[in-house]
Every structure is written in structure tokens, then in C-alpha cells.
Amino acid sequence: MKRKYNVLILGDGAIGKTSILQVYAGSEFKGEHIRTVGVDSISAVYKHPSETHPGQEESIDFKVWDTAGQERFRTITPQMFRMAHGVIIAFDLTKRETFEGVKVWMDCIYKLSRELCIPKVLVGNKCDLANADGGALRQVLRMEAMKVAQEHEIEYIETSAKEDVNIKELMQHIFKEVYVQQ
Ligand code: GDP
Ligand code: MG
């Protein structure tokens, strides 16, 4: 049977969720707010060394779902969550309030997933801006974000959709977390 897993990307509006997905899917960074029209997910294949056939790879299909429109209320619908095997929680390193939003998103996740401990990863996006000019625009320190991630026993990754920094690594990480937990 072919396995298929779903990952959700959550976070406040305009932090770059859609940009991250588009860049990962191979589109160019657009530099503007992208309204989600029609397709709101991207497909990806994660390759993992086969446990049964040494030297070979196992291919696992993933879908990563964008959550446009729901971020305004900092909630996700239970239906959307029911089908998720992993969650990316993202914020904008140059907008403090989006980091405060992470707490709300986390609460939301725990509320909806009572028993199961779903794989998660915390992402600080727009590191290109945050690291420019000696960090003048950065509103969230790496240490602070790492502390939050540690509290939840998850990884913290800083990304830039604009400069394609750590996007692939982010996706590989969450895919692997989902894969090993299953
Ligand atoms: P979403 O609402 O979370 O899906 O955010 P979007 O992907 O629509 O991006 C919101 C705005 O932030 C757009 O103007 C993007 O071009 C910009 N943006 C997204 N990611 C980055 C990034 O890594 N660096 C910079 N400088 N801008 C970004
Ligand atoms: Mg969007």
C-alpha cells in the first residue's frame, strides 16, 4: 500500500507561509502577498533509506497544506487538523506579534490533538531581513525562539523564502519526523 501523509503549515497572516510552499515547489519568490486561489496544497516525495531493502530508498508521498484565510482568527478547523500527520508552526522574525501568535497556535494544536503527539517544527521566516543590517529589523532572538521550541521538544529552524534558505531542510525535517513517528 502506498502511504500518503499530510502536513499543515500554520502561523499568522503575511509571515510567508504561501511563499515557503511555493519556493519549495520550485516556483520563484514573488515578493508579494499571494492569495491562495484554487490549489491550496503542494505535493512532495520524501525519500528514506529502505529498512527492508538495504541500499534502496523508500518513497513516501506528502501533501503540504496551506491555511490561508484561517490565520486571521488564529484557529484551524478540526476537520483540517484531523487529517494532519505533521505541523509547521511559522512566524515572521521581523514581527514580534507573530511570535506571540505561536503560543496561540500551539494551544490550538494541543486542543485539537489531545492524545496524539503530532510531529511539529517551529519556523522563524524572513531571516534575510532579520539578519540584514546587523540585525536591525530582527524582533525575535534566536535564543528566545529556541527556548520555545525546547519547551515543546521540537526543532527550531530559521528560513528565508526570498533567498531560499533552509526551505528544503525544513521540509525534509518535518517529513522525516512524520515518517519515523508512524
Ligand atoms: P502568508 O500570508 O503567510 O501566506 O504570507 P505570504 O507568503 O503571502 O507572504 C507575505 C509577504 O511576505 C509577501 O510580500 C512576501 O513576498 C513576503 N515574504 C515571504 N517570505 C519572505 C522572506 O523569507 N523574506 C522576505 N523578505 N519577505 C518574505
Ligand atoms: Mg498565504
Side-chain angles (χ1 to χ4, degrees), residues 29-152:
F29 178 76
K30 303 250 172 40
E32 59 195 36
H33 189 72
I34 309 141
R35 262 171 303 153
T36 312
V37 273
V39 187
D40 52 4
S41 75
I42 60 146
S43 296
V45 178
Y46 169 67
K47 293 194 192 309
H48 193 86
S50 171
E51 275 143 30
T52 46
H53 300 88
Q56 288 182 28
E57 279 177 331
E58 205 180 335
S59 293
I60 304 103
D61 289 328
F62 273 89
K63 268 196 165 191
V64 189
W65 296 84
D66 205 350
T67 48
Q70 314 198 16
E71 65 254 84
R72 256 182 65 211
F73 310 103
R74 282 184 177 160
T75 57
I76 13 169
T77 58
Q79 295 95 297
M80 184 129 199
F81 201 80
R82 216 168 288 143
M83 56 94 185
H85 302 98
V87 188
I88 300 167
I89 305 114
F91 65 93
D92 180 341
L93 286 163
T94 67
K95 288 219 171 61
R96 183 81 200 176
E97 64 269 26
T98 67
F99 180 60
E100 308 298 336
V102 167
K103 284 194 205 79
V104 185
W105 288 109
M106 284 290 187
D107 287 347
C108 184
I109 293 166
Y110 287 117
K111 221 179 289 163
L112 290 174
S113 62
R114 249 162 242 157
E115 270 124 345
L116 110 175
C117 179
I118 193 162
K120 295 179 278 296
V121 59
L122 181 64
V123 174
N125 189 42
K126 307 196 188 181
C127 72
D128 58 290
L129 287 179
N131 295 338
D133 299 330
L137 289 173
R138 179 181 282 265
Q139 292 187 0
V140 182
L141 297 174
R142 179 185 280 271
M143 284 298 290
E144 293 177 275
M146 280 177 68
K147 195 163 159 269
V148 169
Q150 270 163 19
E151 280 163 17
H152 295 276

Side-chain angles (χ1 to χ4, degrees), residues 129-172:
L129 287 179
N131 295 338
D133 299 330
L137 289 173
R138 179 181 282 265
Q139 292 187 0
V140 182
L141 297 174
R142 179 185 280 271
M143 284 298 290
E144 293 177 275
M146 280 177 68
K147 195 163 159 269
V148 169
Q150 270 163 19
E151 280 163 17
H152 295 276
E153 298 178 323
I154 60 175
E155 286 292 316
Y156 170 59
I157 302 177
E158 295 199 343
T159 59
S160 165
K162 186 178 182 184
E163 294 181 351
D164 199 355
V165 176
N166 278 344
I167 301 296
K168 197 157 180 255
E169 289 77 3
L170 160 66
M171 294 301 176
Q172 284 292 110

